[in-house]
Amino acid sequence: MTYHPKSDFIATMIERGFLADCTDYQGLDEALISGCKPAYIGFDATAKSLHVGSLIQIMMLRWLQKTGHQPITLMGGGTTKVGDPSFRADERPLLGPEQIDENIAGIKKVFSAYIDYDSDAENKALMLNNAEWLDGLNYLDFLRDIGRHFSVNRMLAFESVKSRLDREQSLSFLEFNYMILQAYDFLELNRRYGCVLQMGGSDQWGNIVNGIDLTRRVLDHEIYGLTSPLLTTSDGKKMGKSQDGAVWLNAEMRSPYEFWQFWRNTTDADVSRFLKLYTEMPVDECDRLGALQGSEINEAKIRLANEVTALLHGTEAAANAEATAREVFEKGGVGDDLPTLTLSADELGEGMSIVQVIVKSGLAKSGKEAKRLIAENGAKLDDAPLTDAGLIIDAGALSSPIKLSAGKKRHALVQLG
């Protein structure tokens, strides 16, 4: 990347590692230095929460606002009914309107931690839903006015579609329409709000280019696209996944402590990169911390976990998570902030096997996995090795909370409620 930007936003994107590609660096840069510009990212409502894999896009919107521009978070209330086929091996399960609305309500909780929707400033953020213009479309009018601008030959050439067809996996006509609807979103946002930029992960490049082309054809307006890299960790894992599943951003789906712990467990090679992407610390400080060696890098990881957790859940939650981690890991104690499973006397009955308790606590996904954990000496009960998979836990055993551990880094409390 040899272009030297004039705008604070693009300079930040390049310096901190957010930028994969842009349709026109110079054109976008000139547009951004001419005043406050609206830009958007779309989020489909396929779950009740976004996960860490979406955090890079949320941070892009945050930096956009911090550098004087207007972020638009576009909820895919309409497009979720179709499903994005990009780089998927199969069709997404279709969701009903009630489930989509419920998912949108859950997702909205996260954004206000990062983006200001309430100020009186010119760049106050907007939260929109594309169902507003997609739900009422007349099919024949849409085909005539919008569909005529799309070449099927060109759509088939997009890598996200081509890879699916090359594997001889079915691509439904419903999914094929997704890229037209997403392109139409950009057109509508430009027409209604003057939006000049769509951002997204690099897997969205084809969809973004479609929207730019459509808007130029219909409105003759100059607009732009910018993508971020699709992140994997240095050991090749997809960002947002952990040993026990997706790292959700909503507190009720992933506790602040578990969220903090995810970042604390970052591999050494990722520390500098993640500090730049997921915190607002100066780049020089991110590089300094990322270059630490030996035990010192662990303090850098704690700094990373604190900064990221404070942005999402607040400084108090981050401090509590760190205190719990130090209590659990350094002193061998039981931290107040650990994920907790509460079992009633009725649930326990005459007793529950330790395998069932491990599964209920979330430390294993199945009884088979829990048994393997015990057999391989990876489970502990109150910091002592757990070797008996037939152990029964009854109300008496829970007269005080017990601590279960899976490996060195995953813990849960079990108590009687």
Side-chain angles (χ1 to χ4, degrees):
M1 176 68 205
T2 56
Y3 182 72
H4 299 289
K6 302 170 189 171
S7 67
D8 290 341
F9 178 67
I10 294 187
T12 300
M13 292 296 97
I14 294 171
E15 184 180 35
R16 302 189 77 94
F18 283 97
L19 197 53
D21 212 342
C22 180
T23 54
D24 179 358
Y25 289 106
Q26 189 166 353
L28 176 58
D29 199 30
E30 294 291 341
L32 292 174
I33 61 175
S34 68
C36 174
K37 298 296 180 186
Y40 89 100
I41 299 177
F43 299 87
D44 276 345
T46 52
K48 291 179 184 176
S49 170
L50 299 174
H51 61 63
V52 162
S54 297
L55 196 50
I56 188 169
Q57 273 81 49
I58 296 172
M59 289 299 293
M60 289 167 79
L61 290 170
R62 181 177 172 87
W63 280 112
L64 183 85
Q65 190 169 43
K66 285 174 72 74
T67 53
H69 302 285
Q70 182 179 39
I72 298 173
T73 44
L74 182 67
M75 295 289 96
T79 41
T80 303
K81 295 170 185 172
V82 175
D84 183 1
S86 296
F87 298 97
R88 286 183 60 84
D90 51 16
E91 189 171 351
R92 288 185 188 276
L94 295 179
L95 303 179
E98 297 82 8
Q99 184 63 60
I100 290 172
D101 288 345
E102 192 177 329
N103 289 351
I104 288 174
I107 290 170
K108 281 181 176 180
K109 295 177 186 176
V110 167
F111 287 111
S112 57
Y114 294 91
I115 304 163
D116 182 7
Y117 295 92
D118 301 320
S119 74
D120 296 323
E122 180 187 14
N123 66 335
K124 166 185 170 180
L126 297 176
M127 173 79 70
L128 303 173
N129 187 335
N130 64 14
E132 183 183 335
W133 49 83
L134 294 181
D135 279 2
L137 285 176
N138 178 292
Y139 186 59
L140 292 179
D141 288 346
F142 186 73
L143 284 179
R144 185 192 62 202
D145 298 337
I146 303 300
R148 66 190 178 89
H149 294 293
F150 289 83
S151 160
V152 171
N153 308 59
R154 187 160 175 259
M155 292 163 76
L156 288 171
F158 281 119
E159 188 59 35
S160 58
V161 173
K162 189 172 178 292
S163 61
R164 182 99 157 250
L165 298 178
D166 285 348
R167 294 192 300 267
E168 297 184 356
Q169 290 162 331
S170 174
L171 177 73
S172 73
F173 180 69
L174 180 69
E175 292 176 286
F176 197 56
N177 275 272
Y178 182 92
M179 63 180 76
I180 301 178
L181 296 176
Q182 185 171 328
Y184 185 68
D185 282 344
F186 204 172
L187 170 66
E188 280 297 319
L189 288 171
N190 180 257
R191 181 158 37 203
R192 295 174 183 224
Y193 301 97
C195 183
V196 298
L197 172 64
Q198 181 183 358
M199 301 183 290
S202 56
D203 61 336
Q204 293 299 312
W205 181 256
N207 290 332
I208 291 172
V209 170
N210 267 335
I212 292 170
D213 189 50
L214 176 65
T215 305
R216 285 174 179 168
R217 287 170 181 265
V218 175
L219 300 178
D220 195 26
H221 289 177
E222 194 68 26
I223 58 175
Y224 309 93
L226 184 154
T227 59
S228 61
L230 286 182
L231 280 190
T232 56
T233 56
S234 60
D235 52 2
K237 292 177 183 173
K238 189 175 180 180
M239 192 61 187
K241 301 289 185 182
S242 71
Q243 188 174 355
D244 52 343
V247 183
W248 302 107
L249 301 181
N250 287 35
E252 59 269 24
M253 293 176 69
R254 167 78 61 157
S255 74
Y257 171 78
E258 292 172 299
F259 183 78
W260 186 95
Q261 195 64 44
F262 170 79
W263 296 99
R264 169 61 183 83
N265 293 337
T266 295
T267 57
D268 295 2
D270 288 324
V271 171
S272 175
R273 183 168 58 130
F274 287 0
L275 283 166
K276 291 174 191 173
L277 290 171
Y278 300 113
T279 82
E280 294 176 340
M281 293 168 59
V283 169
D284 290 348
E285 179 69 356
C286 297
D287 286 333
R288 184 190 72 79
L289 288 169
L292 294 174
Q293 300 291 319
S295 60
E296 287 187 325
I297 194 71
N298 290 325
E299 288 305 312
K301 293 178 185 180
I302 289 171
R303 182 81 183 274
L304 169 68
N306 283 340
E307 294 282 339
V308 181
T309 305
L311 272 177
L312 177 59
H313 295 297
T315 52
E316 185 178 348
N320 288 343
E322 182 184 357
T324 292
R326 292 194 186 278
E327 177 70 22
V328 171
F329 299 122
E330 294 177 14
K331 303 174 187 175
V334 174
D336 296 334
D337 212 25
L338 279 182
T340 301
L341 168 67
T342 302
L343 297 172
S344 68
D346 287 342
E347 278 182 284
L348 286 168
E350 295 182 6
M352 182 182 292
S353 76
I354 192 65
V355 168
Q356 287 178 281
V357 175
I358 290 172
V359 172
K360 280 181 172 287
S361 72
L363 295 178
K365 293 179 181 177
S366 65
K368 185 177 179 180
E369 186 181 319
K371 288 176 183 176
R372 186 171 66 248
L373 188 70
I374 294 169
E376 294 174 355
N377 301 315
K380 288 185 177 181
L381 174 62
D382 288 332
D383 296 319
L386 174 58
T387 55
D388 182 7
L391 180 67
I392 299 298
I393 300 296
D394 57 21
L398 295 180
S399 55
S400 60
I402 62 172
K403 174 181 161 190
L404 288 175
S405 304
K408 295 179 180 179
K409 297 178 179 177
R410 298 167 58 229
H411 309 271
L413 293 181
V414 184
Q415 64 185 16
L416 190 63

